[in-house]
Structures are given as C-alpha cells and as structure tokens.
Amino acid sequence: MIIDILTIFPEMVASPLEESILGKAIQRGLIAVRVINVRDFATDRHQTTDDRPYGGGSGMVMKVEPLVRAIRHARSADPPPARVILLSPQGRPLSQEVAWELSRERHLTLVCGRYEGVDERVRRHFVDEEISIGDYILTGGELPALVVVDAVARLLPDVLGCSESTVEESFADLLLEYPQYTRPEIFEGHQVPEILLSGNHAAVRRWRRQQSLWRTWQRRPDLLKEAGLSDEDRELLAEMIGDDGKTIS
Ligand code: 9WO
C-alpha cells in the first residue's frame, strides 16, 4: 500500500514513521509512505503557502495553488490514490471500521491543513473526503494523518507478527480490552488475579471476555449496542451486573 502525506512540515511526520512496527513495515516494503512537502509546489519565489482571508479577520488561510499542485502530483501516481483525504475536524469520524475500509485500498493520499484553515475550494473540488480523529482543534492535520497511517498499517497483511496478531482481537474489536498483567506476581502488595495463574485456559478465556464486556458496559455503553453480543456474552455480563440478562440490548 502507498500512503502520501502532504504537509508543509515534513520533519513533523518523519520520525514516527521510522520507529517500531510502522518503521519495520516500511523497511519490509509492506507499506510505502511518501512525505510530500507542499511548499515545493508553491508558485512564487518566496514559496508562500498561506495568505490573508478574504473578508478580513485574524489568522491566515492555506493557499489553494500549492495544495492543488501537490494533490495533482499525488494523483499522477500509478495506481492513482483511491481517495484523497483531508484531515479535518469537520470530517467523518475515524473508527476501527473506517480503518478497515481504508486498509483495503492500494493508494491513499492524506492532506494536512495548517494555519487557521484551508481555502474552501480545496475541500470542495480537489479532495474526495474529510476524516476527523476527534472533536478537538489541533495546530494542523499532521498528527491526525499519522494516526490514520498507524491505524491502517497495523491491519495490513503481515505487518503485525503473530504475537501481536489481530485475529484474536478482531473478534473483540468493538469491545474494550480486558485487564492484562505480567511479572511480578505481587507488586507493592497488588496481586495478579488468581485465575490468570490457574493454568485453566478455558476459565481464563471466559474471565477475559467477561472483563471486556463489564468494562465496556461501565465505560462505553454506546459500544455495546454495536458489538453484537452472543447469548453467552449476555450471561457473562448479567453475572457481573446482577441482572437477569434480558435487559441488555
Ligand atoms: C481553528 C479555529 C478557530 C476558531 C474556531 C474554529 C476553528 N477551527 C479551526 C481549525 O479547524 N483550524 C485547523 C487546524 C485548520 C487546518 C488544520 N488544523 C486542524 C486539523 N486542527 N485540527 C485538525 C484535525 C484534523 C482531524 N481530526 C481532528 C482534528
């Protein structure tokens, strides 16, 4: 898979792409990230990428020409990007489902805005969609672009080793994680739950599922509605809540 990142701060995205699982995936050729400096596509001798807003007001707006020339450069690749995506608080919320959807494409282009905004003509006419990673304002789209790359890359075949495999997880994708422990068995008086030391794999599996369900019910009840619980899940959860199980949707 090819992912382009269009930015006026290429150094800001460079080093996270060199580390850990992402870095290894790039080294192994499973994914190619092309960091494209939008400033290189500016048309004036000062390489200007911002200008004052029509209508007045404070702050600067990202100019249309450098962005559009950079987007056209990205679109000229073979294969061309399936989607050109602007990272924006106004976009479709990123979710695990969206990440899976993006992971099935061969080429994506991520456009990072800066300043107080991007000329509206870029989003209206030169971008295919907008994606948001959450309801907050940042100083630019670079960190959201890295979030998208990270979320998508780990879903690509062979990116995760079998120890980090998504197979076990995909089943529980829509639930929160169960509590995890490693050595020592007691830390400053705090014990690891007995069941995890029991060696009873079936009991451990059941406990973990129950913990995931319980946590999700307590902290993110909105996720439970989408999770598609089995009858056994409902029983496990009812056992924790002290409910007859029939009221859990
Ligand atoms: C600035 C601003 C100031 C007052 C009221 C509303 C405002 N919105 C913005 C704004 O959206 N600034 C953007 C900063 C301009 C382009 C890039 N920036 C950005 C992208 N901030 N946050 C994101 C982003 C992208 C994806 N998901 C979450 C946040």
Side-chain angles (χ1 to χ4, degrees):
M1 176 184 228
I2 305 168
I3 303 183
D4 310 308
I5 302 180
L6 275 52
T7 170
I8 58 167
F9 293 112
E11 323 78 58
M12 192 170 169
V13 298
S15 68
L17 299 171
E18 291 166 12
E19 298 293 335
S20 186
I21 290 170
L22 212 46
K24 241 166 271 163
I26 292 167
Q27 263 183 11
R28 291 165 65 203
L30 300 172
I31 171 172
V33 182
R34 308 194 305 173
V35 181
I36 296 172
N37 190 344
V38 171
R39 199 173 292 283
D40 293 342
F41 294 86
T43 48
D44 65 315
R45 66 188 188 90
H46 299 292
Q47 297 194 293
T48 312
T49 54
D50 64 332
D51 206 342
R52 292 166 308 160
Y54 276 119
S58 63
M60 298 295 270
V61 175
M62 206 161 181
K63 285 173 68 61
V64 64
E65 302 99 316
L67 271 178
V68 168
R69 292 181 74 218
I71 290 170
R72 288 197 167 124
H73 172 75
R75 283 197 196 277
S76 73
D78 182 28
R83 313 158 190 230
V84 174
I85 299 165
L86 178 68
L87 286 307
S88 155
Q90 302 173 46
R92 174 163 71 126
L94 182 65
S95 62
Q96 196 57 38
E97 199 182 333
V98 171
W100 276 112
E101 186 189 308
L102 298 178
S103 75
R104 291 189 276 268
E105 304 291 2
R106 288 177 62 200
H107 183 181
L108 298 172
T109 295
L110 305 179
V111 181
C112 307
R114 274 278 153 181
Y115 311 114
E116 279 63 49
V118 174
D119 190 302
E120 187 66 18
R121 292 167 292 190
V122 173
R123 49 160 58 86
R124 286 273 286 268
H125 305 294
F126 299 95
V127 152
D128 301 312
E129 65 178 305
E130 297 178 49
I131 288 181
S132 165
I133 65 157
D135 294 334
Y136 33 75
I137 312 290
L138 302 169
T139 57
E142 284 77 8
L143 296 177
L146 288 170
V147 167
V148 170
V149 172
D150 198 272
V152 168
R154 65 183 289 286
L155 301 177
L156 299 178
D158 305 328
V159 166
L160 298 188
C162 55
S163 67
E164 304 128 339
S165 173
T166 50
V167 174
E168 187 183 329
E169 212 186 299
S170 61
F171 172 57
D173 253 349
L174 299 169
L175 295 180
L176 301 183
E177 267 195 355
Y178 50 78
Q180 307 206 61
Y181 299 88
T182 184
R183 294 187 296 178
E185 198 179 312
I186 304 173
F187 178 71
E188 297 186 355
H190 304 292
Q191 255 278 7
V192 172
E194 210 63 56
I195 196 159
L196 299 177
L197 313 173
S198 70
N200 182 343
H201 300 301
V204 167
R205 209 163 28 245
R206 184 180 185 281
W207 181 86
R208 285 178 168 164
R209 183 71 184 171
Q210 189 168 44
Q211 289 290 315
S212 278
L213 289 160
W214 171 234
R215 259 195 187 179
T216 310
W217 185 80
Q218 283 182 306
R219 301 185 190 195
R220 292 293 308 277
D222 57 306
L223 294 181
L224 270 191
K225 293 188 184 68
E226 309 299 321
L229 301 190
S230 66
D231 288 346
E232 197 197 338
D233 286 336
R234 283 167 217 279
E235 279 166 32
L236 287 171
L237 187 51
E239 200 178 299
M240 296 295 282
I241 301 167
D243 182 288
D244 65 5
K246 300 217 165 55
T247 57
I248 305 159
S249 55

